[in-house]
Amino acid sequence: MQKSLVYLFVMYVLAVGASSLGRTGQPCVAPLQWEGRTVQYDHSTGRNTRASVAYDAVNQRIRVFEQKTGHTPCKKFFEYIYLFKSGVFFQIEQVTKACAKLNLTEAWDPYDIPMNSTYEDQYFIGGPEDMIEVQEWSDRKHARKDETWVGVYTMKDCYPVHETYTKNSSVTTTTRFFDLEPGISDPEVFIPPSTCTSALSEPMTSDC
């Protein structure tokens, strides 16, 4: 009986230790290719942008296809193809296929958890029996109070769930990810249409 109690105590200590390591260890490694949907909220404008996304970290490219929500008269919707290795992106109007080719001013920033991130929390999303466990990380450092990036990723396969990114004090975006599937079903979505051979050099506006 006494040996059994000692054994149970040892197993409990090991379990607690393993749980603690899982909560404060290294970040998980996010998938390099996936497809899904996102909603990005711009805190400065109050606008939500819904889109289908194809993400390819292997070749450093992203395709974003804006989704129409309800009746939105006099508004243009665009497809964006970001080719970071080439340093350009294309903006394609979905109806007319009018195209603008523009320079990328930002470096490739993958959807992942940087290895030098700070662990924030671990919890389950939703209610009882949902059992979707996630970890929350940020770029907060001990010498700096505020963070400019917070990411929430699933524990099982390290898919992004939620990211908040602050470029400066006035530009903050929050992106939610859902319906993600591994891989790229159609690599040709990253190829600009033929209308981009004579592309505009200025971005198009969404207003009619």
Side-chain angles (χ1 to χ4, degrees):
M1 183 68 172
Q2 194 172 21
K3 288 183 179 180
S4 299
L5 290 175
V6 171
Y7 173 78
L8 290 174
F9 176 76
V10 170
M11 293 302 294
Y12 171 78
V13 170
L14 290 174
V16 171
S19 177
S20 298
L21 287 173
R23 292 174 180 270
T24 58
Q26 295 294 323
C28 59
V29 178
L32 296 178
Q33 294 179 324
W34 51 258
E35 294 176 325
R37 295 194 293 153
T38 63
V39 177
Q40 185 177 82
Y41 175 69
D42 189 321
H43 293 245
S44 60
T45 63
R47 179 187 176 188
N48 280 300
T49 301
R50 297 180 178 271
S52 60
V53 176
Y55 169 77
D56 180 10
V58 176
N59 299 291
Q60 295 186 2
R61 54 189 185 175
I62 300 175
R63 185 252 196 172
V64 177
F65 193 89
E66 292 183 338
Q67 295 180 333
K68 298 179 181 180
T69 54
H71 181 60
T72 52
C74 204
K75 176 179 171 57
K76 298 176 182 178
F77 290 86
F78 297 98
E79 172 187 1
Y80 296 89
I81 301 174
Y82 298 90
L83 305 176
F84 284 86
K85 286 188 175 181
S86 301
V88 298
F89 75 97
F90 297 88
Q91 179 192 26
I92 303 116
E93 205 277 314
Q94 293 182 16
V95 176
T96 65
K97 300 302 179 182
C99 178
K101 181 180 179 181
L102 307 163
N103 292 326
L104 273 170
T105 58
E106 298 180 358
W108 169 252
D109 185 10
Y111 288 121
D112 66 1
I113 308 170
M115 294 306 293
N116 62 347
S117 298
T118 299
Y119 170 84
E120 298 289 353
D121 203 355
Q122 182 169 320
Y123 46 84
F124 290 95
I125 294 177
E129 299 182 4
D130 286 338
M131 302 302 290
I132 302 174
E133 193 170 15
V134 298
Q135 278 192 345
E136 182 177 307
W137 297 79
S138 78
D139 65 351
R140 177 178 56 85
K141 304 302 177 186
H142 296 298
R144 180 166 52 82
K145 181 179 179 181
D146 299 325
E147 61 271 358
T148 62
W149 169 83
V150 176
V152 178
Y153 282 71
T154 61
M155 283 287 293
K156 182 177 182 293
D157 295 311
C158 205
Y159 280 100
V161 175
H162 177 279
E163 281 199 348
T164 297
Y165 182 71
T166 303
K167 293 183 180 179
N168 54 54
S169 58
S170 61
V171 179
T172 301
T173 57
T174 296
T175 304
R176 293 183 288 118
F177 305 81
F178 46 97
D179 294 342
L180 301 190
E181 295 288 344
I184 303 296
S185 60
D186 182 11
E188 292 190 0
V189 298
F190 297 104
I191 301 175
S194 58
T195 52
C196 290
T197 56
S198 57
L200 304 171
S201 59
E202 297 291 334
M204 294 175 280
T205 64
S206 60
D207 298 328
C208 297

